[in-house]
Amino acid sequence: MTPTDLRTFRRRLLSWFRKNARALPWRATRDAYAIWISEIMLQQTQVATVIPYFQRFLERFPTLVALADAGEQEVLCLWAGLGYYRRARDLWRAARQLHEAGHGTVPNDPDLVRTLSGFGRYTANAVLSQAYDRPLPIVEANSLRVLCRLFAIDQDPKQNVVQKQLWRLAETLVPRTRAGDFNQAMMELGALVCTPHKPDCGQCPVAAHCQARRTGRQDEIPPRAKSPEIVAIEEVAAIVRKFDKLLLAQRPDGGRWARMWEFPHHAVNPGEAHADSVVRLLETVGLEGEVQEELATIDHSLTRFRITMTCYAVAHKRRAGALKRYTDAVWIAPTKLTTYPLSAPQKRLVAFLQEQLLWTKAQG
Ligand code: SF4
């Protein structure tokens, strides 16, 4: 783009954003801490899902100091259901790092911010441009698509060389002032107009600058990644009852759902009967029990895995060894289950059991 084109491009995009931007809670603030929370929650998660989590989180932890002072399990509890829990742990860790270094919010210091847990180049630049108007570029899923189409980049955007090219282009586009608005405008254009399928070029404020549109290739750019093959997994879960309490177990450090709590569950071996699989599952929590009726089936997806988890009531008999797959276990009253951080499928299981009024049965 010539310098004149670039000025026109920025003016058109910003003017469109002023009129069309969605009123989102994190757009009503310049508080770097609140913007940071929103940016982390929005990673791989839709806006509509994030809004209530963002509001609850800020109510409970209105400042960085409040977050740094909280316990990890409390932070995970508020995050429960949002997925990608590593984000919550990194957020909490970064809040503590900043608090220990004497900061009360995310500082206006790119070099420092990039050293914190969970801050990649995108997150650091998004937060600092929105909170402090730092002229830093961003590239994420929506703006990446817009950039590819504007400059007719038809190679796989995951390639390193293409990534570098996109960041360079983003750097040339971002203005010296109003960088935060500009970055948000690029993302908003990708979310509302320059969508993955059927971009609405007729409504696009920067259509005159778009090379993909000029050559009629907006539907082909960027090239679509091949969908991964779906893998079906069969699991069993054990709802173990001992008097009026149920067993929750804590997952180990590292891996998916690290340090979160759940009803024990695992994958059924090929050809294995469910009852046998539940007995094998009980060994991993060091218990013997009587496998009783099937209570519920929970279907959920994890990346390319489609998991069907069949949940069985189990009456506790006796201890039979140490914990194996889990690091801790507690017997807990059914009403207290949600005070522990549970993943989305585990929360659904709790809700399902409550809905079916099965607690009475589970409590004997
Ligand atoms: Fe996207 Fe169409 Fe606008 Fe180009 S003209 S940026 S393809 S919406």
Side-chain angles (χ1 to χ4, degrees):
M1 281 188 208
T2 65
T4 313
D5 280 346
L6 188 52
R7 273 197 299 279
T8 315
F9 174 87
R10 289 170 177 157
R11 185 171 36 75
R12 286 179 173 156
L13 184 65
L14 284 166
S15 155
W16 172 86
F17 183 64
R18 215 171 19 251
K19 293 178 201 138
N20 295 281
R22 290 166 291 176
L24 303 174
W26 45 89
R27 285 190 177 150
T29 180
R30 297 294 290 261
D31 174 6
Y33 166 72
I35 292 167
W36 170 40
I37 304 296
S38 73
E39 282 298 334
I40 300 294
M41 286 188 170
L42 284 163
Q43 288 168 11
Q44 326 230 27
T45 313
Q46 294 186 342
V47 166
T49 308
V50 166
I51 291 173
Y53 278 92
F54 174 79
Q55 290 167 330
R56 277 198 298 270
F57 201 88
L58 279 219
E59 253 167 51
R60 173 60 193 88
F61 307 121
T63 61
L64 182 140
V65 176
L67 176 58
D69 282 345
E72 186 200 44
Q73 291 286 298
E74 193 185 355
V75 175
L76 284 173
C77 254
L78 270 182
W79 205 274
L82 200 55
Y84 300 100
Y85 297 92
R86 183 170 177 183
R87 295 181 297 177
R89 285 188 286 271
D90 281 344
L91 191 71
W92 175 72
R93 229 174 271 134
R96 290 167 73 96
Q97 285 174 268
L98 285 170
H99 185 41
E100 275 161 25
H103 297 283
T105 189
V106 180
N108 184 3
D109 181 343
D111 292 337
L112 173 87
V113 165
R114 285 181 197 132
T115 65
L116 298 168
S117 302
F119 272 89
R121 185 176 179 186
Y122 165 77
T123 307
N125 291 6
V127 173
L128 297 180
S129 64
Q130 287 172 52
Y132 301 113
D133 214 18
R134 281 255 182 185
L136 296 167
I138 53 130
V139 176
E140 48 68 71
N142 281 318
S143 60
L144 174 148
R145 187 168 56 255
V146 175
L147 286 169
C148 285
R149 287 172 176 165
L150 281 172
F151 295 95
I153 296 169
D154 56 9
Q155 292 143 286
D156 179 357
K158 288 208 181 89
Q159 286 178 42
N160 260 347
V161 54
V162 180
Q163 282 283 321
K164 280 189 185 142
Q165 185 184 9
L166 291 168
W167 276 98
R168 268 198 310 273
L169 286 167
E171 218 165 308
T172 62
L173 293 185
V174 72
R176 304 293 308 163
T177 57
R178 297 192 61 201
D181 284 351
F182 180 87
N183 284 340
Q184 287 199 74
M186 286 288 281
M187 294 190 275
E188 196 75 337
L189 187 72
L192 302 182
V193 179
C194 194
T195 47
H197 302 281
K198 296 195 191 325
D200 193 357
C201 302
Q203 297 298 316
C204 179
V206 292
H209 305 267
C210 180
Q211 294 181 31
R213 193 199 186 198
R214 204 170 298 148
T215 50
R217 298 169 67 212
Q218 62 269 30
D219 287 320
E220 299 158 27
I221 295 176
R224 293 197 209 302
K226 243 176 82 189
S227 309
E229 200 184 316
I230 303 297
V231 178
I233 294 186
E234 196 185 355
E235 287 195 344
V236 288
I239 319 296
V240 189
R241 173 188 38 130
K242 182 169 152 193
F243 304 112
D244 59 349
K245 303 264 173 71
L246 300 175
L247 181 78
L248 271 191
Q250 187 178 34
R251 293 178 71 94
D253 211 353
R256 195 182 294 283
W257 298 319
R259 297 193 294 283
M260 294 184 68
W261 294 77
E262 63 188 22
F263 292 113
H265 64 100
H266 71 180
V268 176
N269 284 334
E272 187 181 35
H274 277 197
D276 295 340
S277 194
V278 176
V279 169
R280 186 167 62 82
L281 174 62
L282 293 176
E283 286 167 14
T284 70
V285 281
L287 293 180
E288 277 178 23
E290 180 195 330
V291 183
Q292 300 175 328
E293 75 271 31
E294 182 180 321
L295 294 175
T297 300
I298 302 288
D299 292 316
H300 64 107
S301 296
L302 262 181
T303 59
R304 66 197 178 91
F305 301 105
R306 300 289 172 269
I307 300 164
T308 302
M309 182 170 72
T310 311
C311 311
Y312 290 88
V314 175
H316 173 260
K317 279 189 188 162
R318 63 185 75 83
R319 283 197 59 158
L323 288 170
K324 288 176 189 147
R325 281 178 58 231
Y326 292 97
T327 53
D328 200 0
V330 289
W331 293 100
I332 180 163
T335 50
K336 297 271 173 55
L337 286 168
T338 48
T339 61
Y340 284 73
L342 307 170
S343 67
Q346 292 285 320
K347 280 179 100 173
R348 279 176 53 211
L349 175 55
V350 169
F352 181 86
L353 293 170
Q354 284 169 335
E355 217 175 86
Q356 300 296 309
L357 299 174
L358 284 168
W359 292 128
T360 324
K361 205 180 271 187
Q363 288 171 67

